[in-house]
Amino acid sequence: MGQGHSDEHVARDVSTEQLSHELALRFAKKCFTPLEITHFKDIFRALADEQDGIQYWKEKTLCRFLVIPDALGPGPLIYQMATYLGAFPFPSLAPSILTIEAMLKVVVVMTERYRVVLKRGGADRNKLLFRSLAVFDRRMSSVYEKPSQDLFESVRDEKSEKVDTSDAILDEARSQATGEEPHPTSGFSVDKPANDTDEDEDDDELALAALESLDAIEVFKDDQRADTKIHHAQIPVDNFRRLLMLLLVIAPLNAQESLSRYAERLTPHRIESLKEVADSILWSFTPEQNAGIFYQAFNKIVPASLPYMFDGLNPLFEHFLFSKNIDLSKRKRSLTSAPLTSPIPQVPDTPVDPLLPCEGDILNLDILSQLSFFIKGNNLFHRLRPLYLGANAGFSLGSIEQKVFNWRAPSILLVSGTRLSSTPAGSRERAFADTLPPKRFPDGASGNNPRARVIFGAYIDVPWKHTYKEAIGGSEMLLFQLSPVHEVFRASILSTDYLTFTKTGIGLGCLPPQPKNVSGMSSHTALGPVSLMLDSSLEFGVFTHDSTGGGSFHPSQTRKNEWQDRFEIESLEIWGCGGDEEAKKQRAAWVFEEREAEARRSVKMGKDVESDRALLEMAGLVGNHSASGGSMG
């Protein structure tokens, strides 16, 4: 016991800087393969500046290496995030100088490789990313404090007291890693581990023990103070808009692609489109009430409506793990430092298939990226096929049946239109209004969209078919609004009336239509508490949101009011989620149905014509229909 008490006393004398060093060493050993460490070191050293014997990266270096588009203006924000994450897990040390240790921690957090050591959920990263974006100044300044000269001097003094951690930490990690059992990472296939052990079962406890080994009381106090301050911090709206535009651009990125491919497409028209989509997302955080975004709203909206919003950061920062200077087919060449003169991609250029086979009136690359913020990108990018485009196929339920039925995979419905006035204008609008219950709720929010244009949609997890008595759909169904406010309404288990397709129209979250009008019951269409309904002519639609819920889809997590948008349909599209295999199955089903229909048409009468005719008369198909005969019921 005495020895344990002595060890605990010694451990408490360790500085936070030493703890940060030990944590970086643990990340290097556990989160990367030796090959990845080699690539990382090569990239960092080749592009680093040096001051007072310290190698570090400037904002310009970081932004040009990642090929951050200047036209969007998120460079300073990415640098702000990096200087905060480089100080992990001590907010008091931020902003940090982007030394090799700091950059290692940035890459670990941005690529989510910290899970190997910390084994925490994604919510922890979201909280950390919020802190890295937030400011505490009441004036909501978008200018972030950069590392000062005093910080350089403190790092230099620390460096003179111990070994050069810039080299030793990675060399030590690499040498230890080659002598240990490999661990599962998302690294290069040539360096994949053959097996795994139970060595990391207690990694979470070891991470906590590492904090306690320095000074548990002070660390936990700092963390508690940070948690208190986070509720007073805000992300400036302009900053978040710039970040959202970047996240939309990098959403389809993979680790072997350069961002320059997507940056080249940033025409003035594309930037305006990105801004429009970003504003729709911003309005889900109610910016009309605040000059910034508070953590409470951030913590509610991101998991509910934007769970995959930050996924594009993972492949972007994976670029640190692939250096063009290292050729695996040859001997390691001598590494030379050279100034960064142009934003040349650090990953190989490989041909890629188009993200979309074609664009629709609604679905374009920016809307596609917006969808990937709540539907996994591997179900969207390079995977969508236009099953039905109203502008080409015509607005009719028959066209949808012909184009969409037999698609044996999930699909996405998108509908856009213009809000109708409270007083119907014209006979067609009046006829549509007569089919609905009296409007009790006001129109929804308009956001920054003065044209009153709305976009709604649904992710449908089952094949389409006629619904005569019961609705179809599963628990993975999603109902969503993309414009003017971004919001996702997830499936509820209180009711399973997810999707109906009948001669009366398309309903999502609506009760199936009754076969007969029972005396005394309303003939109006039954709209669910949270529902989308398109009429039989595909001319009008209505979206209803009742905050009390109780239907097939959950109500809004943030907007606690009621609203109803009645709109005239301008565009309607249905896209299939799948590849060549799904398309092949659909074509085979069409061929089979056509063959069956042709077989029925080619049935010939037998030799005994009188007997065949008598049989048909009994079925009521020919002859005197008013006479008694076979029953059709």
Side-chain angles (χ1 to χ4, degrees):
M1 292 180 61
Q3 181 64 35
H5 182 272
S6 176
D7 291 344
E8 182 182 3
H9 178 74
V10 172
R12 287 179 175 174
D13 292 335
V14 179
S15 66
T16 54
E17 288 78 8
Q18 181 60 26
L19 173 59
S20 180
H21 164 73
E22 292 179 7
L23 184 61
L25 176 61
R26 184 169 180 80
F27 281 152
K29 292 196 303 182
K30 298 292 185 181
C31 302
F32 301 96
T33 65
L35 176 61
E36 289 171 336
I37 289 294
T38 301
H39 280 271
F40 176 78
K41 287 173 59 177
D42 177 58
I43 290 174
F44 182 88
R45 290 171 175 171
L47 306 178
D49 286 272
E50 186 169 336
Q51 180 176 338
D52 297 332
I54 302 168
Q55 285 191 324
Y56 70 100
W57 274 30
K58 295 179 179 179
E59 175 184 324
K60 180 181 178 181
T61 306
L62 177 65
C63 293
R64 296 188 71 181
F65 171 75
L66 295 176
V67 201
I68 304 298
D70 292 335
L72 302 181
L77 198 58
I78 295 298
Y79 182 71
Q80 167 186 326
M81 296 173 70
T83 57
Y84 182 92
L85 298 176
F88 178 78
F90 300 108
S92 60
L93 299 181
S96 66
I97 299 172
L98 295 184
T99 62
I100 196 166
E101 279 191 22
M103 281 306 308
L104 181 74
K105 288 189 284 185
V106 172
V107 174
V108 165
V109 173
M110 289 296 199
T111 60
E112 295 187 278
R113 292 182 176 225
Y114 64 86
R115 294 175 184 270
V116 177
V117 173
L118 304 182
K119 290 187 172 143
R120 297 283 185 177
D124 286 338
R125 187 178 82 147
N126 289 345
K127 188 174 185 179
L128 196 59
L129 293 179
F130 177 87
R131 288 175 173 173
S132 71
L133 292 164
V135 298
F136 297 90
D137 189 346
R138 293 182 180 179
R139 294 171 295 178
M140 298 301 295
S141 171
S142 61
V143 180
Y144 187 72
E145 179 186 1
K146 297 184 179 181
S148 63
Q149 180 63 33
D150 292 340
L151 190 55
F152 274 102
E153 294 176 357
S154 65
V155 172
R156 181 191 59 198
D157 294 340
E158 179 190 350
K159 180 180 176 183
S160 63
E161 296 173 1
K162 60 182 181 180
V163 296
D164 183 2
T165 58
S166 298
D167 292 330
I169 180 173
L170 299 184
D171 290 337
E172 179 183 354
R174 189 173 129 204
S175 62
Q176 291 187 19
T178 54
E180 295 178 349
E181 288 292 331
H183 58 277
T185 70
S186 57
F188 299 95
S189 58
V190 297
D191 209 41
K192 291 279 186 182
N195 52 43
D196 191 18
T197 67
D198 296 331
E199 178 182 312
D200 293 332
E201 285 294 323
D202 297 326
D203 273 343
D204 198 31
E205 294 182 8
L206 291 173
L208 181 59
L211 293 175
E212 292 176 345
S213 70
L214 295 182
D215 196 328
I217 296 177
E218 291 304 317
V219 169
F220 291 142
K221 281 183 178 179
D222 287 343
D223 190 61
Q224 186 177 7
R225 282 194 291 267
D227 283 340
T228 301
K229 289 177 64 179
I230 197 174
H231 295 288
H232 300 285
Q234 301 180 56
I235 303 176
V237 169
D238 289 340
N239 284 10
F240 200 50
R241 180 184 290 108
R242 289 199 293 269
L243 179 65
L244 284 172
M245 294 170 70
L246 175 66
L247 293 175
L248 289 168
V249 172
I250 68 175
L253 190 69
N254 65 55
Q256 296 299 308
E257 284 183 309
S258 169
L259 185 53
S260 61
R261 280 201 180 115
Y262 302 100
E264 291 171 355
R265 305 171 185 168
L266 294 178
T267 62
H269 175 75
R270 175 78 191 281
I271 292 175
E272 190 61 30
S273 175
L274 284 168
K275 184 177 181 296
E276 184 176 333
V277 173
D279 281 342
S280 295
I281 298 173
L282 268 177
W283 273 90
S284 64
F285 295 91
T286 61
E288 78 281 3
Q289 300 176 10
N290 305 293
I293 298 167
F294 284 97
Y295 180 70
Q296 183 178 8
F298 183 90
N299 194 39
K300 279 185 179 180
I301 294 168
V302 170
S305 295
L306 302 161
Y308 311 124
M309 178 174 66
F310 293 113
D311 281 10
L313 294 174
N314 296 40
L316 182 65
F317 280 83
E318 288 276 348
H319 291 176
F320 278 93
L321 307 178
F322 189 96
S323 172
K324 280 190 171 182
N325 293 333
I326 298 177
D327 190 343
L328 298 180
S329 63
K330 300 178 181 180
R331 288 187 176 182
K332 180 180 177 182
R333 295 177 295 179
S334 59
L335 303 179
T336 58
S337 298
L340 185 65
T341 58
S342 62
I344 300 175
Q346 299 297 313
V347 291
D349 291 324
T350 55
V352 293
D353 296 329
L355 300 174
L356 273 177
C358 64
E359 292 192 356
D361 292 338
I362 304 175
L363 186 62
N364 55 28
L365 295 179
D366 303 324
I367 296 293
L368 180 64
S369 292
Q370 184 180 3
L371 291 174
S372 74
F373 284 3
F374 59 92
I375 301 173
K376 268 294 186 181
N378 54 14
N379 294 324
L380 300 176
F381 301 119
H382 313 290
R383 295 281 294 171
L384 290 186
R385 291 173 176 267
L387 302 180
Y388 165 82
L389 301 179
N392 299 334
F395 290 85
S396 71
L397 295 176
S399 295
I400 292 179
E401 179 181 354
Q402 182 182 8
K403 299 288 186 180
V404 179
F405 280 32
N406 292 322
W407 179 260
R408 305 300 179 186
S411 57
I412 295 174
L413 178 146
L414 298 173
V415 58
S416 67
T418 304
R419 282 196 185 111
L420 300 176
S421 62
S422 56
T423 303
S427 59
R428 293 181 296 113
E429 289 188 24
R430 283 194 296 270
F432 172 65
D434 290 341
T435 65
L436 303 176
K439 185 174 181 179
R440 300 182 293 117
F441 301 151
D443 290 344
S446 296
N448 288 339
N449 188 351
R451 297 177 297 170
R453 184 172 183 259
V454 294
I455 301 177
F456 296 101
Y459 174 80
I460 299 162
D461 62 349
V462 295
W464 287 68
K465 67 177 183 179
H466 288 287
T467 56
Y468 298 104
K469 294 182 179 180
E470 296 182 350
I472 59 174
S475 59
E476 300 298 317
M477 286 272 295
L478 298 174
L479 185 62
F480 52 83
Q481 181 179 12
L482 299 181
S483 180
V485 179
H486 177 101
E487 183 106 40
V488 177
F489 309 93
R490 299 187 178 274
S492 169
I493 60 173
L494 296 178
S495 172
T496 57
D497 297 322
Y498 299 122
L499 171 65
T500 58
F501 184 90
T502 67
K503 62 182 181 180
T504 62
I506 300 173
L508 291 142
C510 300
L511 291 174
Q514 298 298 319
K516 293 182 180 179
N517 183 23
V518 180
S519 177
M521 292 185 64
S522 172
S523 60
H524 293 146
T525 301
L527 303 177
V530 180
S531 62
L532 174 66
M533 191 278 292
L534 309 180
D535 72 349
S536 59
S537 64
L538 301 182
E539 189 175 7
F540 299 103
V542 55
F543 179 87
T544 303
H545 178 268
D546 187 339
S547 63
T548 58
S552 303
F553 295 95
H554 290 290
S556 171
Q557 297 291 309
T558 55
R559 293 185 281 173
K560 300 303 181 182
N561 58 312
E562 287 74 30
W563 75 87
Q564 185 180 85
D565 286 330
R566 300 182 180 188
F567 56 95
E568 182 176 7
I569 296 175
E570 295 177 350
S571 299
L572 178 63
E573 301 172 0
I574 300 176
W575 296 76
C577 303
D580 294 336
E581 187 63 28
E582 288 79 7
K584 182 179 178 181
K585 290 179 180 178
Q586 187 186 38
R587 288 193 296 269
W590 282 338
V591 171
F592 175 79
E593 290 182 355
E594 180 60 29
R595 188 186 306 121
E596 290 294 302
E598 182 62 28
R600 288 191 295 269
R601 288 192 296 267
S602 62
V603 172
K604 296 182 179 180
M605 300 290 283
K607 294 183 179 180
D608 192 349
V609 178
E610 291 300 325
S611 298
D612 291 337
R613 181 174 180 80
L615 188 61
L616 292 175
E617 286 180 350
M618 290 178 63
L621 299 178
V622 297
N624 185 8
H625 291 187
S626 62
S628 61
S631 173
M632 290 294 290

